Amino acid sequence: MFRVSYKPSASHWIFPPIIMGVLALLLAVMIMQRAVRCSRSGEPFFNLKTARFFEPGWDKVRFFGSVALFILYIKAMELAGFLAASIVFVFLYSVLYYGVEKLRQIPAAVASGNPWSNAAFRATVVSLVISVVFSTAVWYLFGRVFQITLP
């Protein structure tokens, strides 16, 4: 059995090695599945002529938006701390994935006098509530209950 030395000031470094181990295991499973599939079908394991990283018609806005938000999230945690940055960026991710174009409908929904009848307004409010509740719950659970320091 292995032992984990626990130091409260560095407890947030417990999870990255665990996550890397799980990802390495999943990569090994994917490679084995590909090898089995290639051996059954008779195709080569590496076929550079027909290989492609992205499927045709992939969503460039969401991909590059996610990468940009991830980089900005790391910087924001350094400036504002875990909780504030998480609330903002969980909301921004949800806006990115349910559609930035729906934000244009919100001023008209508010001006109509009955914003709850507009699906875009409801989705934005729900995203904001989820961002606050989820981020606060994660912060409380890990930071207070488990006493794991957060970045």
Side-chain angles (χ1 to χ4, degrees), residues 108-132:
V110 172
S112 73
N114 187 11
W116 289 106
S117 64
N118 185 299
F121 180 83
R122 286 192 313 268
T124 304
V125 171
V126 167
S127 293
L128 187 59
V129 169
I130 288 172
S131 300
V132 171

Side-chain angles (χ1 to χ4, degrees), residues 26-98:
L26 291 174
L27 177 63
V29 168
M30 289 171 56
I31 289 172
M32 287 188 288
Q33 286 178 336
R34 170 93 175 142
V36 168
R37 193 175 337 120
C38 289
S39 68
R40 286 184 181 164
S41 67
E43 67 181 74
F45 189 80
F46 294 108
N47 190 358
L48 298 178
K49 290 183 181 178
T50 61
R52 59 181 180 257
F53 191 74
F54 295 108
E55 294 294 321
W58 61 285
D59 193 343
K60 295 171 182 67
V61 172
R62 287 184 179 158
F63 175 75
F64 291 116
S66 295
V67 171
L69 282 176
F70 180 69
I71 292 168
L72 291 172
Y73 177 52
I74 293 169
K75 294 296 181 187
M77 276 198 294
E78 293 173 2
L79 296 173
F82 176 81
L83 185 58
S86 294
I87 290 171
V88 170
F89 281 88
V90 168
F91 176 72
L92 290 176
Y93 270 109
S94 65
V95 167
L96 176 67
Y97 278 89
Y98 78 71

